[in-house]
Amino acid sequence: MTAPKGQHIAVLCDFDGTITKGGVIDLLYRAFAEQSCWELVERWIRGEISTIEEMQGCFSTMKATREEMEAVLDRVEIDPGFPEFVEFCKGRGYLLAILSDGLRWYIDYVLTHHGICDLPIYANEIHFLEDGYLITTPWYSPQTPRRGVSKPGIIQNYRAMGYKAIFIGDGLSDIE
């Protein structure tokens, strides 16, 4: 597959702390996780554990329902210039996609809450179960073993399709 005619630029953007004003997953952890979660977060920051280990460990301490978490997500602010940036990309024929080591569910929820729909989202998945949560990593690659989402791998895929890839992000999961 190649880039569609007239659409040769892919703008690939991080979510937490880039589109949003802060870390969304941290907001959920602060609202619902036990103190032991923060030890896992610190270990993730130091590079001692992977994203999936941190998320599974933290979510295992949470008892909130999806609806309770979404009530917290309703308060998430996005950069006020982001909707205009979405329109700018559309107007230029640029493909705009989200690459995040966070969770697709909350990214989609927050964007939709702010009237932004139909952007491709590459992120980890959460499955809400009767007795907890299951985190899966459909975009994992051994190329970036500590991350649930291999941002370099996704960028390389867009380049292989003929796109000029522009990446926006400056967090720990963006380093690679």
Side-chain angles (χ1 to χ4, degrees):
M1 179 179 206
T2 58
K5 187 174 183 178
Q7 190 178 21
H8 299 285
I9 294 178
V11 179
L12 309 170
C13 187
D14 177 52
F15 187 74
D16 287 76
T18 303
I19 294 171
T20 63
K21 293 191 172 196
V24 176
I25 198 136
D26 291 342
L27 184 65
L28 292 172
Y29 291 166
R30 278 193 296 279
F32 303 109
E34 294 176 7
Q35 183 60 37
S36 60
C37 169
W38 295 104
E39 295 165 19
L40 294 171
V41 171
E42 289 299 320
R43 290 184 64 205
W44 178 82
I45 290 169
R46 291 191 304 265
E48 297 171 3
I49 63 172
S50 69
T51 297
I52 190 76
E53 291 169 312
E54 178 231 306
M55 284 185 183
Q56 284 179 334
C58 285
F59 273 86
S60 73
T61 73
M62 296 168 62
K63 305 295 183 233
T65 66
R66 180 179 184 146
E67 292 75 21
E68 289 170 327
M69 286 190 261
E70 288 175 348
V72 170
L73 297 177
D74 286 339
R75 299 191 310 254
V76 172
E77 295 181 47
I78 64 170
D79 185 299
F82 187 69
E84 184 179 340
F85 182 67
V86 171
E87 291 306 312
F88 171 82
C89 289
K90 284 182 184 176
R92 296 280 160 102
Y94 301 164
L95 182 145
L96 175 60
I98 308 302
L99 274 62
S100 173
D101 210 23
L103 297 168
R104 186 190 57 77
W105 152 74
Y106 72 64
I107 296 167
D108 185 53
Y109 186 89
V110 169
L111 289 175
T112 300
H113 183 75
H114 289 279
I116 300 168
C117 303
D118 301 323
L119 293 181
I121 300 171
Y122 300 88
N124 301 298
E125 297 285 344
I126 185 168
H127 306 275
F128 293 90
L129 309 173
E130 284 186 32
D131 59 346
Y133 320 93
L134 174 65
I135 310 290
T136 59
T137 56
W139 304 103
Y140 173 83
S141 169
Q143 178 183 12
T144 53
R146 287 193 308 251
R147 309 290 175 231
V149 174
S150 177
K151 294 179 183 185
I154 295 166
I155 292 166
Q156 290 166 359
N157 288 341
Y158 274 99
R159 287 181 177 155
M161 290 186 290
Y163 286 94
K164 291 181 182 177
I166 299 167
F167 179 73
I168 302 168
D170 65 354
L172 285 175
S173 69
D174 302 320
I175 292 170
E176 291 92 2

